[in-house]
Amino acid sequence: TQGIDAVAAASLVGIIGGASIAGRLGFGALGDKISRMRLFQLTYMIIAFSYLIWLFSSHSFTLMTVYAALLGGGYGGFIALSPVVTAEIFGLVGLGTILGATYTAAGIGGLMGPTFAGYLIDKTGSYNAAIIAAMIFAFLAFLLLIPVGRYLKKRDQRKT
């Protein structure tokens, strides 16, 4: 628990879950008013930033609470926006197959990510390398979405 009481540390999981629900509702509602792709990109930046907070605050329960809230909110937004952003990119034809592939890829990441993090923790004796790797992957996802957002914007401009 890195210096934090075990019960307090376990409560962070609940905070992540509660913030995820809030993120799903909040980002979902905002997606009806603001560019869904911009919000989707923002979810990855929030997640990356949350890992930065974790990296420098593992001994402060208050800051770990901020980390948990940001991580949960960003993740919840990602969950809420993924299907609609996928539909915006690919259209509705074959959407079930595309979403199936997308969720399968996420499942593979969910299998490989913790395994890779555990490997880094075992090799370095610290959580820092795993936290940095998670932060880098979230930031790379944000960067990879930038050209997709530009493509969608250009495509929408051609339609009008």
Side-chain angles (χ1 to χ4, degrees):
T1 59
Q2 297 187 3
I4 297 174
D5 176 70
V7 174
S11 70
L12 294 173
V13 176
I15 293 169
I16 292 171
S20 175
I21 293 168
R24 291 169 202 230
L25 297 172
F27 277 97
L30 279 175
D32 291 335
K33 297 171 180 49
I34 302 172
S35 164
R36 291 178 187 104
M37 177 53 79
R38 293 264 187 242
L39 288 172
F40 195 58
Q41 291 168 333
L42 179 62
T43 64
Y44 283 102
M45 283 302 294
I46 291 169
I47 291 168
F49 183 69
S50 77
Y51 288 124
L52 184 64
I53 292 172
W54 184 14
L55 188 62
F56 294 106
S57 64
S58 62
H59 295 289
S60 166
F61 182 73
T62 301
L63 289 175
M64 288 301 291
T65 301
V66 172
Y67 152 74
L70 286 173
L71 178 67
Y75 176 73
F78 159 78
I79 293 297
L81 295 170
S82 289
V84 291
V85 169
T86 302
E88 283 183 12
I89 295 169
F90 296 105
L92 298 177
V93 176
L95 184 60
T97 301
I98 295 166
L99 285 174
T102 301
Y103 290 138
T104 299
I108 292 168
L111 175 66
M112 294 175 62
T115 304
F116 179 62
Y119 172 80
L120 290 175
I121 293 164
D122 288 346
K123 284 296 180 190
T124 64
S126 168
Y127 284 83
N128 289 352
I131 295 168
I132 290 168
M135 182 173 53
I136 289 169
F137 282 120
F139 187 67
L140 283 175
F142 164 77
L143 291 177
L144 290 170
L145 286 171
I146 291 172
V148 177
R150 288 182 183 150
Y151 164 77
L152 289 176
K153 188 173 181 178
K154 286 180 185 177
R155 185 183 72 185
D156 290 345
Q157 288 173 347
R158 282 187 291 227
K159 287 181 182 179
T160 56

